[in-house]
Amino acid sequence: MTDPRAEFLAGERLDDVALFLAESYVSDDRLEEFGERVDGGVVIVVDGERGRNAFRAATGTDAMAFAQSAMALEGLVDSDLAGGQCPEAPTDEDEHAVQFVFAFAEERNEDAGGIYAEGDVVHAYARCRCGTSYSDRWTVLDSA
């Protein structure tokens, strides 16, 4: 038995993407067949192409276009990918709950410098219930 989310967060699934879909955003019990039930939703880890297609099907948004737009604002995405802190919210209020997260990991790249030279990097992009999209990133070592 494997734990896809733990493997993803450990940098062992660099070709995969992770999706968190809040139950308040997508109410489809079938999602549990593909992912892990967590407090408030489901985390799904699948190969990149299937993940991007699943993201589009669940959110109506192209995953890479969403990531591109979310990069404009930094926020905090939980290291377990199942939530975050909207940069527009003074506290973790209900109207600022995460609706969904899209994440991928990038292999360590010493030539790029900075955080990328330290280890594999998780890139996470979130959409808040208020409509704000934001991004976060961290090294796999930081989330261990």
Side-chain angles (χ1 to χ4, degrees):
M1 182 96 158
T2 64
D3 183 346
R5 181 168 56 145
E7 292 171 353
F8 176 85
L9 293 172
E12 297 171 11
R13 296 180 72 149
L14 296 172
D15 293 329
D16 292 351
V17 297
L19 313 172
F20 167 73
L21 301 167
E23 60 191 20
S24 62
Y25 183 71
V26 177
S27 58
D28 187 340
D29 292 336
R30 295 176 298 164
L31 290 174
E32 289 183 53
E33 297 173 28
F34 306 103
E36 173 187 353
R37 166 71 53 197
V38 296
D39 187 31
V42 174
V43 174
I44 301 169
V45 177
V46 293
D47 71 83
E49 188 62 31
R50 284 181 49 216
R52 287 184 289 277
N53 290 337
F55 182 83
R56 180 187 288 277
T59 67
T61 305
D62 176 76
M64 298 316 288
F66 168 64
Q68 183 82 21
S69 69
M71 283 193 298
L73 184 62
E74 289 187 20
L76 296 173
V77 175
D78 295 347
S79 62
D80 66 359
L81 304 175
Q85 177 65 45
C86 177
E88 301 294 325
T91 62
D92 189 19
E93 302 166 5
D94 191 46
E95 67 265 17
H96 289 284
V98 171
Q99 292 182 308
F100 53 82
V101 172
F102 172 77
F104 64 90
E106 187 174 347
E107 189 172 29
R108 178 182 184 172
N109 182 348
E110 290 185 28
D111 293 336
I115 189 174
Y116 299 97
E118 297 172 19
D120 298 340
V121 176
V122 174
H123 295 262
Y125 308 93
R127 163 94 31 94
C128 178
R129 181 178 288 167
C130 75
T132 299
S133 297
Y134 56 95
S135 65
D136 195 2
R137 65 187 174 148
W138 59 87
T139 63
V140 166
L141 300 173
D142 290 342
S143 64

